Amino acid sequence: MGKRFALISGLVAVLATPLVWAELPTQTHPYETLRGLERFNKTSTLAMHNVTQTPDVLLEIKGIKIGDNVLQQAINLEEQGGQLGRIRGGTRSDKIKFSFYQPYEDSRLEQKVELYFDKHNGFIKQVTATYFLQDAYLSIVPIREQSLRAAIEKFGSPMTMQQAYDFSGQKNGEVQFERFIKRLQSNDQIHPLALEYFQKRNISKSSKWVKGEQDYALMHSGFDRCYLWHTNTFQQILTFCFFDKTSANPNSRGIELDLHDFPTSQQITELGNPHNKPKILL
């Protein structure tokens, strides 16, 4: 009888244990109490019903897509070994920075990942990754070539010169950026924010597309030199940019990947500020 009672008691204890575990509060991450991020809930997600791309074709940098929850993705970057940069407190914060380091020759290579986010709802609206060499006297060209190859392997080929001709209606030669933009304006599938993006890039009359590596279209805009990936008629854009060798100290300026998703960014903006107090109508 005593043995049977002991067996039953043990069985009850085993069955009760998961219930006790289930009642324990989940452990919070330090970022959940960090000024600038503490007001966000990492479980909140953005309903993507108005976005034309399916999640499997959205571009991403280091596993992060536009529209992701900034707190959850910050935790994910830390788990990848990223070091958190300074973040301002309060509701004005709109960017956080993580740095990833690795040795390179006699120097050190830093990959800086910046998450720009909506300060009211906490969803990411732009992702930028920049590569820097600690020693600015070392040439960054090998890093640039290796990074471009990695980008092509991951995202496919950037826009080609033939595509630049097709969009501009031109047959050959350099494509003036102004002409390129004017032709895009006649395409009603181009998102207005994408046109605004290109108009800001067209900083001078000399901005243009020229033939780059492997017949990829290379954007010349000031000292900027950029390759471009786009999905779904420029609803989403990823640029790979570096500085022309004639610019001042191009090695210290690094190589930049910059990701924009215009429909998702617009959707984030339209969410507005959930903390706004209702206006009093007199």
Side-chain angles (χ1 to χ4, degrees):
M1 182 69 181
K3 287 183 179 179
R4 182 181 297 177
F5 177 76
L7 180 61
I8 292 171
S9 299
L11 184 60
V12 169
V14 169
L15 292 173
T17 301
L19 298 176
V20 174
W21 286 345
E23 290 173 2
L24 290 174
T26 56
Q27 197 168 17
T28 60
H29 191 278
Y31 289 174
E32 294 182 76
T33 57
L34 184 68
R35 289 297 306 277
L37 291 177
E38 64 184 354
R39 63 193 181 278
F40 301 128
N41 183 342
K42 67 176 182 289
T43 62
S44 63
T45 56
L46 178 67
M48 308 292 274
H49 57 275
N50 290 329
V51 180
T52 52
Q53 299 98 324
T54 55
D56 60 323
V57 298
L58 292 174
L59 297 172
E60 47 86 9
I61 291 176
K62 223 165 183 65
I64 297 169
K65 301 178 178 69
I66 308 299
D68 282 350
N69 179 293
V70 67
L71 179 55
Q72 182 58 62
Q73 289 300 345
I75 292 171
N76 292 348
L77 287 175
E78 188 228 20
E79 290 174 348
Q80 293 180 47
Q83 297 181 20
L84 178 67
R86 180 175 177 270
I87 176 170
R88 292 182 299 176
T91 58
R92 292 189 176 185
S93 303
D94 59 3
K95 179 181 75 170
I96 56 176
K97 178 185 76 175
F98 283 85
S99 290
F100 297 82
Y101 299 98
Q102 65 187 85
Y104 179 78
E105 294 187 4
D106 295 326
S107 183
R108 185 172 69 159
L109 177 67
E110 175 188 0
Q111 181 186 149
K112 181 178 70 176
V113 180
E114 293 175 310
L115 307 180
Y116 296 80
F117 57 92
D118 169 59
K119 62 187 178 182
H120 301 304
N121 299 282
F123 296 116
I124 297 169
K125 56 183 181 181
Q126 179 183 340
V127 184
T128 302
T130 313
Y131 294 86
F132 298 98
L133 278 175
Q134 191 174 44
D135 185 351
Y137 292 100
L138 274 176
S139 173
I140 204 165
V141 172
I143 300 292
R144 186 187 79 205
E145 292 174 348
Q146 183 180 343
S147 301
L148 180 59
R149 286 197 299 271
I152 292 170
E153 185 176 332
K154 182 173 183 178
F155 305 114
S157 296
M159 191 172 78
T160 64
M161 204 61 203
Q162 184 56 55
Q163 287 174 309
Y165 291 142
D166 292 342
F167 281 117
S168 65
Q170 199 170 307
K171 298 294 185 183
N172 50 48
E174 298 175 343
V175 176
Q176 292 300 314
F177 213 53
E178 193 173 20
R179 178 187 178 105
F180 178 80
I181 293 170
K182 283 181 178 178
R183 287 295 294 259
L184 287 185
Q185 285 175 323
S186 63
N187 187 333
D188 58 5
Q189 291 182 301
I190 302 296
H191 197 281
L193 291 178
L195 283 173
E196 183 181 314
Y197 170 87
F198 282 121
Q199 286 162 345
K200 287 180 179 178
R201 280 282 185 179
N202 188 22
I203 61 173
S204 70
K205 295 291 184 182
S206 62
S207 298
K208 59 193 173 185
W209 292 104
V210 303
K211 182 178 177 180
E213 293 184 27
Q214 302 180 45
D215 203 31
Y216 300 140
L218 181 65
M219 180 198 303
H220 280 212
S221 181
F223 285 117
D224 267 342
R225 302 289 179 263
C226 300
Y227 293 104
L228 181 144
W229 288 258
H230 63 89
T231 59
N232 200 9
T233 58
F234 298 101
Q235 301 293 289
Q236 189 180 46
I237 285 174
L238 174 75
T239 53
F240 177 95
C241 297
F242 54 95
F243 284 88
D244 184 75
K245 61 184 179 181
T246 61
S247 65
N249 203 3
N251 288 338
S252 65
R253 298 190 180 190
I255 300 155
E256 183 181 271
L257 278 165
D258 197 27
L259 176 61
H260 298 264
D261 183 314
F262 302 109
T264 307
S265 296
Q266 185 176 44
Q267 192 173 340
I268 292 169
T269 301
E270 288 170 355
L271 287 173
N273 182 356
H275 309 295
N276 273 344
K277 294 179 180 178
K279 293 181 180 179
I280 298 174
L281 298 177
L282 299 177

